[in-house]
Amino acid sequence: MANPKVVVIGGGIAGSYIAKSLQFHSNLTLIDPKEYLEIPWASLRGMVEPGFAERSLIQHKDYLTGSRLIVSNAVDIRESEVLTSEGRLIPYDYLVIATGHGDPLPKTRADRLKQYQAENEKIKAAQSILIVGGGPTGVELAGEIAVDFPEKKMTLVHNGYRLLEFLGPKASKKTLDWLTSRRVEVKLEQTVNLEGVAEEGSKVYKTSAGEIIRADCLFLCTGKPLASSWLKNTILGDSLDDNGSLVVDGNLRVKGRKNIFAVGDITNIKEMKQGHLAKKQASAAAKNLKLVMNGGSESKMVAYKVSSTTKAIVSLGRHDAVAQLHLTTMIGLVPGLLKSKDLYVGKTRKELDVDSFLLH
């Protein structure tokens, strides 16, 4: 097929990487509701240091030099075209769904930078801070604030019986000890009643155990829903599982579809939803797309190898991190050197080849 039309829906890590990889091999269109890629694991640092976000928000057009960007929401998928919210029909020969988790972000990079500035001012002005959620987002945010603003009184409430439940108990314990040593009060197996909190200026929160927490500002760090509900009434409605994930085969094609692939958090692949795995999926799907677009045999497609180990690094402020690796769990400066210093922002920019296109 001469210059096949490829449409990628979703400009997070998985979508951006696959679009970058395919842009000179096809007539490629990226559909994303925002003009930029936000490096998600770097976003919490941007709240304590807004200048950091300057490098972690990358305009799509800075790495997609050979393709078309449509800043819009996709609202329907048909047999050979995608409908956007303004009513535009975008034809495709091959389609990639990479919508990940629902996280309504502003359309322009400038507006997102303003949000970071506002979050930063909120943290600076507060004397006491409440964080709800003890997964990686809540823990990393608590770590960032504890290191940059050690004078703030911080409380972290988590409904689980330990922090970072996706990691082993050893990593959870080390993380709890680290936070406690930085004067973060951690309350486990409790939830916070957030009804009626919408009124601004509510400073008093009640937990499920009846405890009262006073806080000048609140950060909700609980899981975000998958951005897949819009798929229910499309031709892919039957390909969703009960959790709203898209069911894919071993080659990352959507079940029952030869020319539609899915990558990243939206898939039903049983592995942790992490940026480096989203990149790995994007790389495998890109290889398969290049193969079939060039008329190669489907039998030569690469099978995606599911990551069986829960290898993860959770950063704790600027210098420390907790790392669960194949054989060991460690905390402190050594794993911190791997991730915490610049949160892989330089590496991601390099992989997307952003800086070579920009004039310094």
Side-chain angles (χ1 to χ4, degrees):
M1 192 184 292
N3 222 16
K5 297 184 202 61
V6 175
V7 173
V8 177
I9 304 176
I13 288 293
S16 296
Y17 269 71
I18 200 162
K20 160 98 174 104
S21 180
L22 297 174
Q23 64 177 338
F24 298 118
H25 297 266
S26 61
N27 174 352
L28 186 125
T29 303
L30 174 67
I31 302 176
D32 191 41
K34 53 193 191 344
E35 296 171 354
Y36 55 91
L37 159 68
E38 171 160 291
I39 301 178
W41 56 85
S43 63
L44 303 167
R45 177 76 49 88
M47 289 162 66
V48 298
E49 184 195 338
F52 188 77
E54 291 278 352
R55 294 184 68 247
S56 64
L57 299 179
I58 299 168
Q59 294 281 36
H60 289 312
K61 61 178 175 27
D62 287 343
Y63 64 89
L64 284 182
T65 51
S67 54
R68 182 163 67 140
L69 171 67
I70 293 178
V71 181
S72 180
N73 281 298
V75 292
D76 191 13
I77 294 171
R78 299 168 185 179
E79 287 298 343
S80 59
E81 49 199 15
V82 175
L83 178 68
T84 70
S85 49
E86 304 79 43
R88 288 174 75 173
L89 284 170
I90 317 299
Y92 68 85
D93 299 308
Y94 295 95
L95 179 63
V96 181
I97 314 282
T99 45
H101 280 86
D103 196 2
L105 291 172
K107 179 177 164 182
T108 70
R109 182 174 176 274
D111 284 347
R112 182 66 176 127
L113 287 169
K114 279 189 200 129
Q115 273 188 346
Y116 277 118
Q117 198 62 52
E119 299 279 20
N120 181 250
E121 279 155 24
K122 193 166 118 175
I123 293 169
K124 279 186 181 156
Q127 288 173 340
S128 50
I129 294 169
L130 169 61
I131 293 175
V132 177
T137 308
V139 165
E140 291 196 347
L141 180 59
E144 293 288 345
I145 297 174
V147 168
D148 276 33
F149 300 99
E151 72 288 355
K152 309 282 180 200
K153 176 175 177 7
M154 212 177 348
T155 309
L156 187 153
V157 179
H158 181 50
N159 62 357
Y161 66 98
R162 59 185 179 86
L163 298 171
L164 303 176
E165 284 131 319
F166 69 98
L167 297 178
K170 205 186 260 185
S172 299
K173 173 83 173 76
K174 285 179 190 276
T175 304
L176 178 63
D177 293 346
W178 187 94
L179 288 170
T180 311
S181 74
R182 301 293 186 291
R183 300 190 11 254
V184 178
E185 192 180 345
V186 178
K187 296 180 186 293
L188 296 170
E189 297 188 77
Q190 293 189 39
T191 55
V192 175
N193 179 10
L194 296 171
E195 278 171 40
V197 166
E199 310 108 45
E200 263 313 303
S202 170
K203 308 277 180 179
V204 181
Y205 301 90
K206 195 171 180 187
T207 75
S208 51
E211 293 187 44
I212 299 293
I213 299 169
R214 294 179 191 283
D216 299 330
C217 83
L218 164 78
F219 290 106
L220 208 50
C221 299
T222 47
K224 299 183 179 82
L226 283 174
S228 64
S229 56
W230 68 284
L231 291 167
K232 286 190 182 121
N233 298 319
T234 72
I235 60 165
L236 299 183
D238 296 343
S239 308
L240 294 166
D241 68 11
D242 294 344
N243 302 321
S245 303
L246 270 175
V247 179
V248 292
D249 65 15
N251 308 121
L252 299 171
R253 285 188 297 190
V254 173
K255 198 181 91 190
R257 297 277 161 185
K258 289 228 180 279
N259 63 333
I260 302 180
F261 289 73
V263 286
D265 290 1
I266 197 87
T267 69
N268 70 324
I269 292 173
K270 298 280 176 277
E271 63 183 4
M272 279 158 61
K273 303 299 186 193
Q274 288 187 311
H276 70 100
L277 296 175
K279 290 179 190 177
K280 202 176 119 190
Q281 288 180 31
S283 161
K287 278 188 189 135
N288 288 338
L289 271 157
K290 286 174 190 168
L291 176 84
V292 293
M293 288 191 299
N294 288 325
S297 158
E298 287 187 15
S299 61
K300 293 203 165 66
M301 282 180 145
V302 299
Y304 178 72
K305 287 189 178 59
V306 176
S307 166
S308 55
T309 56
T310 44
K311 200 171 80 170
I313 301 179
V314 175
S315 69
L316 299 167
R318 288 170 188 273
H319 308 294
D320 295 341
V322 60
Q324 178 172 291
L325 305 170
H326 295 304
L327 300 168
T328 180
T329 297
M330 54 185 177
I331 194 162
L333 290 169
V334 174
L337 285 171
L338 294 173
K339 178 177 182 186
S340 305
K341 194 164 182 269
D342 104 313
L343 301 174
Y344 304 132
V345 169
K347 179 174 185 265
T348 304
R349 291 178 72 89
K350 195 172 169 189
E351 286 169 349
L352 288 169
D353 205 12
V354 178
D355 298 318
S356 62
F357 296 127
L358 301 177
L359 296 170
H360 292 288

